[in-house]
Amino acid sequence: TLDGAHDDNGATNREPVGSLGPLHNCACASNPVAVNQALGGAGSPYTTLADVQGFTRRDIFGAALTINFDVGFATLTSISAYRQTRYDYLEDSSGLPASSSFTDLTGASGSPNNTLLGPPSNGFTFKVTDAVTEKPKQYTQDLRLTSPTTETFDWLTGLFFSREQNFRTEGFVFPSLGRSDRLPSSSITLQSNKGTAYAAYGQASYHITDRFKVTGGARYSWEKKEITSEARISSGLPLLLQAYPQIAADKAWNNISWRLVADYHATDNALLYASVATGFKSGGFTGSASTAAVAAAPFGPEKATNYEVGAKTELFNRRVRANLATFYTDYRDLQVTRFFQPIGTTFGQFITENAGQALLQGVELELSAHPFRNLEVGATYAYLDAHYTRFTGLPSTIGTGNFDGNRLRQAPRNTASVYASYTYPLSTGDQLSAGVDWSYRSLSYYDPDNNPITVIPSYDLFNGRFGYLSSNGHWDVSLWVKNAGDEKYRTHVFSQRDGRIAFALFGEPRTYGLTLTYNQ
């Protein structure tokens, strides 16, 4: 198989959504919310005041060769794959114009507060643009033996190899901040990453009875990562990166993970199951590290143990399907990336740390039914309790770094959905269909300190569809609307200045369209 893709997307729009003191809680040029209001951009997240037109461009090429060979007692499968990508990205990280008044942060030109606290109509003093180029390549090889399926016993075993390499540059520009030479503060980090992975795995299932089956599996993993990193200051002050010459570092990890599952068919239409499984994610190195010390220091692997009990049922002559699952996941050394300003420094830094322990537990329910002919209705609900039980990171200028008890990022406590669809057959054999659906997500956080200005507030969305399908199946036409209620909802939040200012990306507004599909 060969595959490829080319993406050429326009700019994202970062919308200011919060500011806290000190410095950013005034009606001044250092408060992005005040600047947005003063310049008339606060009415809608779908308009922008950015003076830099960003973009996202990506080219992908992939090739894979799959060979299946009958060796008598099993099937030998070989999967060889190669993939390469070119990725270019430019973003105005604040969605605001740069301040027309340049700020000399050294104080050589007078107090910096004269411009930092200037009128918001001047533009945003802390504006920053972010530019990224990546060139990753990856080769993988999987060799697998799979036994014939029998009524009693079946198994598989295999070997896996992966080699990947990525060259990455990321640059930051603050056009309104610097020294008395009034040059923008511009810096760039240059990184290379090599990853090598080997694994051996196996799994077997034994049917104790025609209704009761147990499955067990294990995987041995060995991974090594090698990096080089360098940071350069092109002009101005080191506001996000501190210049350092190229450094090199490497680290290897290994792990044995396992899985055990028991399946019991209580009836022909009811499956009960219980499982316990462990997982492993190798360690690594912080990307776009602000200092040589951070660049050279690896963070550790994360490990998880997951317990799950559930049921899958079909009721009332298979007109109702009900699935229930409860789970409990114990994370050790969970990898957490955050942006903060360490005590005693003058600039923010990216860092990836290991949270000592985190727990996720919850329940998921799925229902679908056919109460009448051609009508299907359904609903889902999930409750999730996800929090750090032991996490003390590096302290910042506004916090101790103790996040014990805080909720994990992007982990809404409640999610739900409801849908209904109806199909109307015509005398010609053609079909008309209509459907509506609703989804809900409760509040979630984006920073481990659960900063109130970096939240994704709860939101719900309505979608609708009306379709036509020809009797021969060749033509499929649908009219659709997404976000019918025109909900303004956040999809991502990014904080700067040690969590004192925040900017969000928003989901698409109400959109509608026509999709025409032809099937040969």
Side-chain angles (χ1 to χ4, degrees):
T1 61
L2 299 174
D3 69 273
H6 171 71
D7 298 333
D8 191 353
N9 298 318
T12 58
N13 178 44
R14 289 286 183 180
E15 186 76 6
V17 293
S19 57
L20 301 171
L23 186 63
H24 303 288
N25 58 343
C26 55
C28 61
S30 294
N31 182 340
V33 176
V35 173
N36 201 33
Q37 292 174 344
L39 298 180
S44 169
Y46 310 121
T47 59
T48 181
L49 297 174
D51 53 6
V52 172
Q53 184 174 350
F55 58 83
T56 300
R57 301 185 185 123
R58 183 174 57 176
D59 289 286
I60 303 173
F61 169 76
L65 175 65
T66 302
I67 301 173
N68 291 295
F69 186 72
D70 187 354
V71 295
F73 68 94
T75 299
L76 174 64
T77 300
S78 170
I79 304 174
S80 308
Y82 172 79
R83 184 164 297 276
Q84 70 177 30
T85 303
R86 168 66 186 252
Y87 175 79
D88 294 286
Y89 165 86
L90 174 65
E91 182 186 64
D92 185 323
S93 295
S94 62
L96 297 171
S99 173
S100 57
S101 301
F102 191 87
T103 301
D104 175 10
L105 293 175
T106 67
S109 305
S111 173
N113 286 342
N114 294 335
T115 49
L116 293 177
L117 302 179
S121 57
N122 287 351
F124 187 44
T125 55
F126 287 90
K127 175 195 175 69
V128 58
T129 59
D130 184 6
V132 174
T133 295
E134 289 188 351
K135 299 177 182 179
K137 297 179 180 180
Q138 183 184 41
Y139 170 75
T140 60
Q141 175 63 54
D142 193 10
L143 287 173
R144 185 168 64 236
L145 278 173
T146 306
S147 72
T149 300
T150 68
E151 294 182 356
T152 305
F153 187 72
D154 52 77
W155 54 267
L156 66 84
T157 185
L159 299 172
F160 177 80
F161 168 77
S162 172
R163 172 64 62 87
E164 58 183 329
Q165 186 171 17
N166 185 21
F167 295 97
R168 184 177 192 273
T169 63
E170 183 168 12
F172 306 96
V173 178
F174 291 83
S176 300
L177 299 176
R179 301 177 303 202
S180 58
D181 56 14
R182 304 183 66 82
L183 294 175
S185 293
S186 176
S187 56
I188 187 171
T189 174
L190 301 91
Q191 309 152 70
S192 71
N193 306 271
K194 289 183 180 180
T196 305
Y198 298 92
Y201 59 89
Q203 179 172 293
S205 297
Y206 180 67
H207 298 258
I208 299 175
T209 70
D210 59 348
R211 291 187 178 275
F212 185 44
K213 180 182 73 171
V214 293
T215 301
R219 180 185 182 98
Y220 171 78
S221 302
W222 181 91
E223 297 191 29
K224 181 178 182 180
K225 295 185 178 180
E226 305 167 79
I227 65 103
T228 65
S229 182
E230 177 184 357
R232 303 172 183 172
I233 307 301
S234 304
S235 63
L237 293 174
L239 298 182
L240 279 180
L241 301 175
Q242 190 177 71
Y244 56 88
Q246 185 179 94
I247 58 98
D250 63 84
K251 184 71 175 178
W253 303 268
N254 62 81
N255 173 263
I256 297 178
S257 300
W258 53 269
R259 176 176 180 259
L260 182 63
V261 184
D263 296 328
Y264 176 62
H265 286 271
T267 69
D268 291 342
N269 299 317
L271 170 67
L272 308 178
Y273 68 91
S275 71
V276 57
T278 62
F280 160 79
K281 181 181 179 182
S282 67
F285 295 87
T286 298
S288 297
S290 297
T291 67
V294 172
F299 52 85
E302 68 180 36
K303 301 175 183 179
T305 302
N306 180 71
Y307 306 87
E308 184 171 339
V309 177
K312 298 180 182 294
T313 65
E314 292 180 327
L315 310 171
F316 306 109
N317 198 26
R318 297 188 175 181
R319 297 179 66 177
V320 175
R321 176 176 294 173
N323 299 328
L324 176 68
T326 61
F327 60 90
Y328 178 92
T329 305
D330 181 5
Y331 270 102
R332 303 287 173 156
D333 298 322
L334 177 68
Q335 296 166 7
V336 181
T337 299
R338 62 189 181 105
F339 182 78
F340 77 119
Q341 184 174 335
I343 294 174
T345 65
T346 58
F347 53 87
Q349 299 183 19
F350 289 101
I351 191 170
T352 300
E353 300 174 300
N354 293 100
Q357 185 177 12
L359 291 180
L360 287 78
Q361 55 188 339
V363 59
E364 297 177 346
L365 175 65
E366 179 183 2
L367 294 171
S368 62
H370 294 267
F372 307 106
R373 186 179 181 182
N374 302 325
L375 175 65
E376 180 181 357
V377 296
T380 65
Y381 172 74
Y383 172 81
L384 176 64
D385 174 21
H387 61 275
Y388 304 106
T389 54
R390 190 172 71 251
F391 182 15
T392 301
L394 290 177
S396 70
T397 59
I398 63 170
T400 64
N402 188 329
F403 307 121
D404 293 358
N406 287 2
R407 287 165 58 179
L408 269 61
R409 61 177 301 182
Q410 294 177 276
R413 194 178 298 275
N414 297 283
T415 58
S417 68
V418 178
Y419 72 90
S421 63
Y422 182 77
T423 302
Y424 182 77
L426 302 175
S427 58
T428 59
D430 301 339
Q431 290 183 352
L432 298 177
S433 62
V436 293
D437 64 83
W438 168 85
S439 61
Y440 168 81
R441 290 172 62 92
S442 63
L443 177 146
S444 60
Y445 293 93
Y446 251 84
D447 286 341
D449 62 356
N450 291 180
N451 189 333
I453 69 172
T454 62
V455 299
I456 303 289
S458 62
Y459 63 88
D460 56 350
L461 301 175
F462 289 91
N463 304 308
R465 179 185 178 276
F466 180 79
Y468 162 82
L469 179 65
S470 64
S471 58
N472 56 18
H474 289 337
W475 293 100
D476 187 349
V477 184
S478 61
L479 290 166
W480 50 263
V481 58
K482 298 179 181 179
N483 190 8
D486 204 22
E487 178 88 355
K488 294 180 174 61
Y489 64 101
R490 303 176 189 178
T491 59
H492 182 265
V493 179
F494 173 65
S495 65
Q496 299 177 25
R497 298 282 298 157
D498 213 0
R500 284 175 285 173
I501 52 178
F503 307 86
L505 293 177
F506 281 74
E508 293 183 352
R510 181 192 297 118
T511 57
Y512 46 86
L514 170 70
T515 300
L516 175 65
T517 305
Y518 177 75
N519 301 299
Q520 179 61 43

